[in-house]
Amino acid sequence: MPAVKKHRIVDAITLDSIMSKLSDSKRTDDRGLLDYRKIEIETNILKDKTNGSAKVKIGDTEVWAGIKVETANPFPDTPAEGVMTCNAEMLPISSQYVEPGPPDEDTIELSRVSDRGIRESGMIDVSELCIKEGELVYSVYIDVAVINEDGNLFDAVAYAGTTALLQADMSKFTIENDEVKMLEEREKLPIKSLPISTTFAKIGDKIIIDPNADEQEIATARLTLVTDENGKYVSAQKGKPGGFTFEELKEISVISKEKGEEIRKMIKEAVNNGA
Amino acid sequence: MPAVKKHRIVDAITLDSIMSKLSDSKRTDDRGLLDYRKIEIETNILKDKTNGSAKVKIGDTEVWAGIKVETANPFPDTPAEGVMTCNAEMLPISSQYVEPGPPDEDTIELSRVSDRGIRESGMIDVSELCIKEGELVYSVYIDVAVINEDGNLFDAVAYAGTTALLQADMSKFTIENDEVKMLEEREKLPIKSLPISTTFAKIGDKIIIDPNADEQEIATARLTLVTDENGKYVSAQKGKPGGFTFEELKEISVISKEKGEEIRKMIKEAVNNGA
Amino acid sequence: MPAVKKHRIVDAITLDSIMSKLSDSKRTDDRGLLDYRKIEIETNILKDKTNGSAKVKIGDTEVWAGIKVETANPFPDTPAEGVMTCNAEMLPISSQYVEPGPPDEDTIELSRVSDRGIRESGMIDVSELCIKEGELVYSVYIDVAVINEDGNLFDAVAYAGTTALLQADMSKFTIENDEVKMLEEREKLPIKSLPISTTFAKIGDKIIIDPNADEQEIATARLTLVTDENGKYVSAQKGKPGGFTFEELKEISVISKEKGEEIRKMIKEAVNNGA
Amino acid sequence: MSENNIERISGRAPDELRNVSIKAGVIKNADGSALIEFGKNKIIAAVFGPKEVHPKHMMVSNRAIIKCRYHMMPFSTDTRKRPNLSRREIEISKVIREAVQPAILMENYPRTAIEIYVEILQSDGGSRCAAINAVSTALADAGINMRDLIAACAAGKANGQVVLDVDDQEDKTGEADMPIAMLPNMDLITLFQLDGNLSKEEFDKALELAKIGCNKLYNLQKDALSEKYFNENNKKEDEE
Amino acid sequence: MSENNIERISGRAPDELRNVSIKAGVIKNADGSALIEFGKNKIIAAVFGPKEVHPKHMMVSNRAIIKCRYHMMPFSTDTRKRPNLSRREIEISKVIREAVQPAILMENYPRTAIEIYVEILQSDGGSRCAAINAVSTALADAGINMRDLIAACAAGKANGQVVLDVDDQEDKTGEADMPIAMLPNMDLITLFQLDGNLSKEEFDKALELAKIGCNKLYNLQKDALSEKYFNENNKKEDEE
Amino acid sequence: MSENNIERISGRAPDELRNVSIKAGVIKNADGSALIEFGKNKIIAAVFGPKEVHPKHMMVSNRAIIKCRYHMMPFSTDTRKRPNLSRREIEISKVIREAVQPAILMENYPRTAIEIYVEILQSDGGSRCAAINAVSTALADAGINMRDLIAACAAGKANGQVVLDVDDQEDKTGEADMPIAMLPNMDLITLFQLDGNLSKEEFDKALELAKIGCNKLYNLQKDALSEKYFNENNKKEDEE
């Protein structure tokens, strides 16, 4: 049964340091409340076995994403639509707090929130992932590995997954005499939008962005908000056993859009530079 | 490995009270050794998502049953027969002794005995559950949830499952030009018999019917015996690490038929009133 | 996670006895360092439900193998090849150190090494296990049960599996008007070679063959080497957290071939006598 | 809500809830329980505890721990659900636990566990919000010390219009769903999710609508609790 | 059984068992064991214990606990059985344990576990009854203190006739199967199951037939145990 | 290797390794780590410990216990790999653990656990050997006391020729693959597997070739470790 699990231990000195800095509206690494750590994005890092890949670092948090595009039978109720699956995995190399084994509730939440961000934004047009209606469609797997954990996995996983999708390509198929044939050519995935995730945390009455692992641990509440290229809100998830006021939510919704635009530029640039 | 598990704790006062009453051939609620508690049956309680449903209370024991009729491929060795599955689930809301998680051996036994009672009695004519031989058949799921546990689940689950089956209906299909088409009309399931389960327990040398949770816990042996409308014995299961004498078994077999007829009337009445 | 598990306990007296005998180049049962215990092979012991079967005893180690030949769809990438699966199971009756439940890493290794020995030697010609290309092939299951455990399971499982394969037969099929039909006749499996497994252990600086359970437990390293009828090495597996020198490996490779030829004769004789 | 609104499929006004009924104390063996009918949702929540912690290593010395399981019966959905817990059920179990935990005075019950079980017997849109209202009522029914009740309700967008409490049918063509839980007296939003597509203006409007819905649910919970209390006292008087 | 009976497929008389042989002490590493061949059934039962209890929390202070696993090898059935324990195997493990437990003087072994393992190497009709006879012999072979041996046999109905010990082939067209286990000296039926269709008269007759069968199995168990004892003593004498 | 050799698909000489690069200290949160690129293999190994043992009953009083998990990412293979640990991964986890354990001075760390994690991010032929070199480097990077580094490399047979370090492409038509791990200074082979078909002469030649390969890998590990040490000291000086 999903339940309380062992959590990261934040020692008293770290706790004091975070709190005293916050009272000056600063973070332990001296960034502001609403500043991201340094974001580094690299594409095509696993070029031999994937259709697309990306490495993203946010501070000391590091994740790798790989895209596999395979073919599959469509689901009976959506015969003309391809399939998309996003899955995040916490590797035990990433932290002493991660145990190997089947995903715990935190990892399941991480996977499902990442999946929804991509799905609900309509980033991939699944109707263009149909090869032969009712028979064969593309199946796009987005797998993201957490390599080193220092907080804000929701954003890191989202950035790596979407960057890898932007970089990916796939085989082209044609239908001749009712038979599916694979062509030599390759094509890009049918990308329609680039959703950007932004994650906030609440410590005391302060709202911060991009929490590191210690901040995340002591925060009472976390909020991930995803916006698309048209400035629409497409997905959100509150986490941790605490809450936000209505005013805080409205404030966060404004900042999320601003930060989202900055990061969207960074990702596009990284993909263009890598290509 | 199936093994001894934690059991209900019956305190000394309850135990004394049960035993002293039994020595007067009475139960703690003053009913006789061979009296059922009050049985309440209600049909069509989950009308929006099931094909049939029923709630059964025997004293404080409460179970809910829902029928889902879906279509499936037949098994290769029975191409002209539909499929029937009966499954009981112990919800953790039903008792402090129930843990959430995969079914333990007691729950597996409960499911399998309920399933056999319906199956062996020929209650459902599976040959009439064929839509198109070798291709499409009806698949009838009988799922029963234990909502509150106070003993005699074998009977409660059986009554709820069979009552819901009697009340259920399903889509009608026709075959036009070798293609299966669903019709607007609905029809009743092909019910041929109404098996009735009766459950006995042995405490000391007394045989009682419809044991409550405390009686069941202290009993040395339990026997569930199922009879059909023609007075035939169709299914039986002894439980608990003790035994019955031959004489006791013969005595039980007589009572089971009598009680079965009474309860069969109650169920039919409840279904007719509900329709 | 695969990890250290509870191991057999070898008491001090047994340990002393093994070591003092070894210093005289003898074993506790007075055989030489490179002598097998008595090997007993019996075929066709489960004739009512299997396609072939064998019982093998090496000293007090006893295993039973049963072959089931069924039909299945071929794998998409090998449409004209049959399927072969070898699986070993440690029954809890075989030793107080075996727990019932899913296979642990030792049992998985045992299964996989047995499987590879048969597979890599080309013992079964999978291309002759095709009934109808792309549609129907034979699926050969080799299941081996460990009944009593006294060391050297790698060899015992291999001998029982290969002996049962040699003894097995299967239904014959023909294709008439594009339809598969089963014939009355039966035929032998397409056997091309008889690989023989030999297992060595290292205690101190002594290399012994066919270790019993106590010897195996105190050994620092184990080596299973499989040779085919042409004297080729087809499979090997080192086990236990220790090692061999290059010289020891070369020495073992010579002995393995010699012993393999002896045991190959024994198996062939047992199969001929049994038929 | 006096604007010129488009008619909803259900015929409801934009700020109108489906029919809701809550009944406290429905499970005899539980320490607290409630049955909620919310549109076509039929959900029972039950609470056990404070009780001993198993396994022991999960015990916390200065407060209770909260366990929560959200579970759908196989017959609760349009197509039969397989009995094992899905990833969706595991996630919802987590967000429900995190939504109700801030209301519980956990420090009053050190070294104990409070177990919350949600059983979906019939599902409709908004089952997680419906469930939270049942859980809140069941916690109060169990006599667990609480800072506030937890009220939950979703707002969303259907047919181009921001509306309260999207149901199953609206959801099929719906553009957004935003479930919210809050502690009304503390102005604290403890569950917040969104799937769909909302402009900034719609986002703010949906928030306001959801707040209205939560307040209604808050009152329905209080009614259910006082009805049970009243009935019990009546019974006791009758017995005296 | 002097009535005018219909011939059985097997050619057996209505009250005739299949061929049965029992051998005690077949597994060197077990504390007790037996191999039974019962028609085409080939089954080994082995007993370990009394031994330490794992996990510890299952220990009972004033008696032994009994564990039992009934398991079929993949090659034991007509179609290969998948290796993992099926629901059927779990149920049969339970009914076997509950059938033999009343015979064991558990209070003689406080704080210990007695483990019973049944391995079906070749299956035929009536494998659970065959298994119980093997378990009983293995328990005695292990020197576990017992009130009585447990004898098991099924009666049933095939071809319209009540008969003893229905086999695989009869079962395919059989109308009923009623496996029974009993402690013969205590007139106690400790396993009782039924699937099929029996009138009251047939039910009583099947009970009587099963009793006859159990008595035969009881004697076969005793023979197996004394044969092993005799052989061992002979061996010892030879060695002396 | 001056014989008249057949050309390899890769263009490599028979005793030529693929391109290998090793980098120590790539995972900040681990006690030791290394990234190896070996042909197309991309593998990270990380070491945690010596640390507390969980569960406690696995603790050994006079030495450390070693845990090891070899795991492939779903995107690391030609066809997407399902996320759960396969039987192949379980076996390789075991042989890697048994290959590196003899190098670790386990008795220096009584009552602790040393955890080794191998993550295959991109796979090619010989991933288990590549992994062992990364593990060895990571163990040294973690400061674990060792008797020797563990070097690993496969030899095999492809196109009728005994060659060093068979890659994915050669393996498809390859006749044999023989992965080896050794403690070079102790002349001890601690991993040894073979699949394929080798004559006695080929077997001996493959052994010799693998030894040559292991020695190269041994030096590459040392280079990686000294580079990291050198860089860290440089950084420290810069900071002073």
Side-chain angles (χ1 to χ4, degrees), chain C residues 17 21 40 50 91 102 105 137 155 169 194 214 247 273:
Chain C
S17 152
K21 284 273 188 177
E40 295 167 78
T50 70
L91 302 188
E105 60 167 28
V137 298
D155 290 353
D169 62 12
L194 176 52
D214 288 325
E247 281 321 301
N273 291 346

Side-chain angles (χ1 to χ4, degrees), chain D residues 10 37 50 53 66 86 90 94-95 152 166 168 207 219:
Chain D
S10 57
E37 306 197 34
V53 181
I66 314 291
S86 67
I90 293 171
K94 179 176 193 287
V95 295
V166 172
D168 237 10
L207 266 181
N219 289 322

Side-chain angles (χ1 to χ4, degrees), chain C residues 166-181:
Chain C
L166 287 177
Q167 185 250 305
D169 62 12
M170 60 189 193
S171 298
K172 226 172 154 167
F173 292 90
T174 185
I175 297 175
E176 274 177 31
N177 302 326
D178 214 47
E179 292 242 325
V180 172
K181 284 199 178 161

Side-chain angles (χ1 to χ4, degrees), chain F residues 24-83:
Chain F
V26 296
I27 302 292
K28 199 174 173 181
N29 287 342
D31 294 313
S33 61
L35 166 67
I36 190 165
E37 306 198 33
F38 197 126
K40 288 181 285 188
N41 284 301
K42 238 178 229 205
I43 299 171
I44 295 180
V47 171
F48 291 82
K51 52 181 280 196
E52 247 188 289
V53 182
H54 286 292
K56 286 241 164 92
H57 68 80
M58 286 178 60
M59 197 169 66
V60 178
S61 62
N62 60 347
R63 62 166 178 87
I65 61 163
I66 315 291
K67 296 183 184 187
C68 176
R69 190 182 84 143
Y70 166 99
H71 172 250
M72 306 185 88
M73 278 305 294
F75 51 65
S76 67
T77 48
D78 283 326
T79 305
R80 180 179 185 264
K81 197 201 147 284
R82 310 189 75 237

Side-chain angles (χ1 to χ4, degrees), chain C residues 93-111:
Chain C
I93 62 172
S94 68
S95 160
Q96 58 166 310
Y97 299 102
V98 175
E99 296 280 325
D104 63 4
E105 60 167 28
D106 289 344
T107 308
I108 287 171
E109 186 188 24
L110 177 60
S111 283

Side-chain angles (χ1 to χ4, degrees), chain F:
Chain F
M1 283 291 152
S2 53
E3 305 163 41
N4 211 343
N5 292 309
I6 305 142
E7 179 131 16
R8 296 173 71 172
I9 310 177
S10 58
R12 286 189 276 144
D15 63 346
E16 190 181 341
L17 291 175
R18 285 168 286 177
N19 285 334
V20 181
S21 87
I22 306 177
K23 199 180 165 198
V26 296
I27 302 292
K28 199 174 173 181
N29 287 342
D31 294 313
S33 61
L35 166 67
I36 190 165
E37 306 198 33
F38 197 126
K40 288 181 285 188
N41 284 301
K42 238 178 229 205
I43 299 171
I44 295 180
V47 171
F48 291 82
K51 52 181 280 196
E52 247 188 289
V53 182
H54 286 292
K56 286 241 164 92
H57 68 80
M58 286 178 60
M59 197 169 66
V60 178
S61 62
N62 60 347
R63 62 166 178 87
I65 61 163
I66 315 291
K67 296 183 184 187
C68 176
R69 190 182 84 143
Y70 166 99
H71 172 250
M72 306 185 88
M73 278 305 294
F75 51 65
S76 67
T77 48
D78 283 326
T79 305
R80 180 179 185 264
K81 197 201 147 284
R82 310 189 75 237
N84 44 333
L85 224 56
S86 67
R87 289 162 67 93
R88 178 183 169 275
E89 285 167 294
I90 292 171
E91 185 203 337
I92 296 183
S93 297
K94 180 177 193 284
V95 296
I96 292 180
R97 189 186 73 233
E98 294 179 340
V100 303
Q101 195 167 315
I104 300 171
L105 288 159
M106 298 193 293
E107 54 277 23
N108 289 13
Y109 309 105
R111 310 174 80 79
T112 68
I114 295 169
E115 292 175 3
I116 298 166
Y117 298 106
V118 173
E119 298 293 343
I120 310 295
L121 294 159
Q122 189 166 275
S123 73
D124 194 0
S127 74
R128 80 194 65 188
C129 287
I132 288 170
N133 294 301
V135 169
S136 171
T137 310
L139 283 165
D141 182 44
I144 304 285
N145 297 353
M146 291 165 82
R147 289 184 182 83
D148 198 356
L149 292 172
I150 313 104
C153 186
K157 188 176 168 192
N159 221 347
Q161 188 178 208
V162 176
V163 294
L164 187 62
D165 184 23
V166 172
D167 62 35
D168 237 9
Q169 222 178 343
E170 285 175 326
D171 198 26
K172 266 163 205 156
T173 55
E175 291 117 283
D177 191 33
M178 187 199 267
I180 280 180
M182 62 183 299
L183 311 193
N185 291 326
M186 303 176 71
D187 183 37
L188 204 59
I189 297 170
T190 60
L191 178 134
F192 183 76
Q193 294 184 298
L194 164 65
D195 290 312
N197 201 308
L198 292 177
S199 71
K200 172 66 180 150
E201 195 192 355
E202 291 164 344
F203 182 91
D204 290 348
K205 191 167 171 190
L207 265 180
E208 293 307 325
L209 264 186
K211 196 172 179 174
I212 293 170
C214 286
N215 283 325
K216 291 182 185 173
L217 265 308
Y218 183 71
N219 289 322
L220 288 166
Q221 289 181 41
K222 285 201 294 189
D223 293 350
L225 289 163
S226 53
E227 188 173 355
K228 193 202 162 190
Y229 184 75
F230 183 71
N231 283 346
E232 276 178 359
N233 284 6
N234 272 9
K235 262 192 228 158
K236 277 182 203 154
E237 276 174 33
D238 288 355
E239 285 163 7
E240 277 162 17

